[in-house]
Amino acid sequence: MADLVLRSRRTVVDGAQRPAAVAVTGSRIVSVSSYDAAIEATEEIDLGDTALLPGLVDTHVHVNEPGRTEWEGFATATRAAAAGGVTTIIDMPLNSLPPTVDVEALRIKQAAACGQIHVDVGFWGGAIPGNASALPGLHDAGVFGFKAFLADSGVPEFPPVSPAELVSALRAVDALFVVHAEDPGHLRDAASSAAYADFLASRPAAAEHAAIATAIDAARVTGRRVHILHLSAAGALPLIAEAKAQGVRVTAETCPHYLTLDAAGIPDGATEFKCCPPIRDAANADALWRALADGLITCVVSDHSPCTPELKRRDTGDFAAAWGGIASVQLGLPVIWTAARERGHGLADVVEWMARRPAELAGLTGKGRIAPGADADLVAFDPDAAFEVDPRRLHHRNPVTPYAGRVLHGVVRTTWLRGRTVTTDQARGRFLAREG
């Protein structure tokens, strides 16, 4: 007898949407059957036309705890994730204090998170100048790979690496490296200004092109895996396509804000739109969508990077002084679904981009899919319901969002983590380690 059976006429299984019954025993899916299959179970829920999706996997989240918990924290970030249908996050090694650049720092972060997580949580390590010798031990401790910046990260305790230092880090450990790819030689200090156009001009597409070329060169000479984070500049896509055709182990992701927001529509002083690399124009977003549909861009992840409202400097509207980052882990699914359906994509496409492929990137074989043996991480999602984004209803610690007031389609009704309903009062998440 199963513990739970979920039936939906819109279940996303094996890359397609179809009627199905999903049976769960313990923490795992034990069968996927026809919608009307007779299955004995302790509990049965018929979702009808509400869709049943695998829990999303967000491999790019800045939780910031410990050290900058006033920006975010494990309790608030994971509650927001669950409310947005995300059942697995992988936390970035910076803006916490200390950054996750050695085993001791990893243990400090895990201790801070213990007992607070509402979804499953894994961790990236960090590659900074001088810590190459620490990377093998950190990898053995279970981190999913290593993040490196090629330009200023925004926090002094996580400095960027030079091209030579990136190669040294890749040679130090056979691991996945995820790279913030902007070239400092193409960036310029933004003058104090409330005009978004001035900020955008300070971080041109050429900075991404040059840094992506550097990352590809490092992957080529070392034979290691490199993943380009938060790709914004679509003009760099031919570089990635050519490298992949040559056998270089390079992949890329993008984020909801680059796919759905338009630089031309950002008002003066609206610093909630500031992120690095920046949001570009609508034609650029169209090209990113094409690359996503073609599989050249593999994942859509949040790059959830919150801060306090004060650091966003809405008092002055000064883009140069404001913190660069967008908090969106709770909103990524409806943001992408709203835009995807308008472009003719289905729920199976969204699941591919936001669940299966991020899980594949991180090597999480039990996540991101509805299949026997997989973790029973599931989401009841009403794709036809609409809502207006009210920042006060977000679970993020600081309700600052560029999506405020937008009408989005798609409402998460229930999230299950390993077969149990996620609630705000019980933190049942687990720490994840790199498999193998």
Side-chain angles (χ1 to χ4, degrees):
M1 178 179 291
D3 295 326
L4 172 67
V5 170
L6 297 172
R7 301 180 191 271
S8 167
R9 285 187 282 269
R10 303 171 79 173
T11 305
V12 177
V13 181
D14 294 333
Q17 180 179 289
R18 62 178 175 86
V22 178
V24 175
T25 296
S27 64
R28 295 187 181 274
I29 297 168
V30 293
S31 70
V32 180
S33 308
S34 63
Y35 175 76
D36 57 358
I39 305 171
E40 290 190 47
T42 303
E43 181 182 8
E44 180 171 325
I45 300 173
D46 192 333
L47 299 171
D49 289 328
T50 297
L52 184 63
L53 316 180
L56 304 190
V57 177
D58 193 338
T59 55
H60 196 149
V61 176
H62 295 267
V63 176
N64 306 327
E65 186 175 8
R68 293 189 174 96
T69 312
E70 70 276 13
W71 294 17
E72 190 60 281
F74 283 100
T76 51
T78 58
R79 278 199 295 264
V86 178
T87 53
T88 299
I89 67 169
I90 304 185
D91 173 59
M92 283 293 171
L94 73 160
N95 308 312
S96 55
L97 293 169
T100 314
V101 295
D102 54 37
V103 174
E104 180 183 6
L106 173 64
R107 299 306 181 214
I108 291 170
K109 180 171 282 190
Q110 289 172 326
C114 191
Q116 295 199 77
I117 56 176
H118 295 264
V119 300
D120 287 352
V121 176
F123 301 92
W124 295 106
I128 61 173
N131 85 324
S133 62
L135 302 185
L138 196 47
H139 200 232
D140 289 344
V143 299
F144 285 81
F146 299 94
K147 181 173 189 178
F149 274 76
L150 293 176
D152 181 14
S153 72
V155 291
E157 67 276 2
F158 203 97
V161 295
S162 68
E165 288 167 333
L166 179 61
V167 169
S168 295
L170 265 65
R171 284 179 170 154
V173 58
D174 187 2
L176 173 62
F177 278 75
V178 297
V179 180
H180 181 120
E182 289 184 287
D183 187 285
H186 290 78
L187 303 177
R188 66 172 186 267
D189 291 337
S192 178
S193 173
Y196 180 76
D198 291 339
F199 167 67
L200 178 59
S202 74
R203 304 187 88 95
E208 284 192 79
H209 300 174
I212 288 170
T214 295
I216 288 171
D217 286 344
R220 180 180 287 112
V221 301
T222 62
R224 303 301 201 206
R225 290 175 65 201
V226 167
H227 180 72
I228 305 302
L229 296 172
H230 46 49
L231 179 68
S232 161
L237 289 165
L239 294 173
I240 298 170
E242 181 182 13
K244 289 175 70 69
Q246 295 170 347
V248 179
R249 300 168 70 194
V250 60
T251 51
E253 68 185 34
T254 194
C255 304
H257 37 282
Y258 301 128
L259 292 165
T260 65
L261 301 179
D262 179 1
I266 298 177
D268 288 352
T271 52
E272 63 270 25
F273 288 85
K274 180 180 177 180
C275 55
C276 300
I279 295 160
R280 305 190 190 278
D281 60 28
N284 182 82
D286 289 341
L288 294 177
W289 276 103
R290 289 193 294 271
L292 190 60
D294 292 342
L296 183 55
I297 296 175
T298 58
C299 307
V300 178
V301 293
S302 69
D303 189 12
H304 179 74
S305 186
C307 67
T308 62
E310 293 76 18
L311 287 174
K312 273 298 186 183
R313 299 308 305 266
R314 283 305 307 268
D315 56 336
T316 64
D318 183 357
F319 277 96
W323 174 260
I326 289 177
S328 62
V329 70
Q330 184 171 336
L331 294 172
L333 176 56
V335 167
I336 289 299
W337 170 238
T338 300
R341 69 195 303 228
E342 292 174 354
R343 292 173 179 266
H345 296 289
L347 282 174
D349 296 317
V350 174
V351 165
E352 181 78 359
W353 304 327
M354 303 186 77
R356 194 193 70 79
R357 288 183 184 170
E360 182 178 70
L361 174 74
L364 289 167
T365 58
K367 301 291 188 182
R369 59 197 177 95
I370 296 177
D375 287 351
D377 299 346
L378 299 161
V379 177
F381 181 67
D382 187 342
D384 301 316
F387 70 101
E388 182 177 319
V389 177
D390 180 351
R392 295 170 299 179
R393 296 177 65 86
L394 299 176
H395 291 277
H396 308 157
R397 184 178 298 278
N398 295 294
V400 178
T401 172
Y403 302 108
R406 288 186 173 235
V407 175
L408 301 177
H409 283 85
V411 173
V412 172
R413 300 299 187 190
T414 309
T415 301
W416 292 267
L417 178 68
R418 284 176 278 101
R420 301 180 69 181
T421 304
V422 179
T423 62
T424 58
D425 59 332
Q426 291 185 299
R428 299 194 186 99
R430 296 178 181 173
F431 293 142
L432 301 174
R434 176 181 49 84
E435 295 178 11

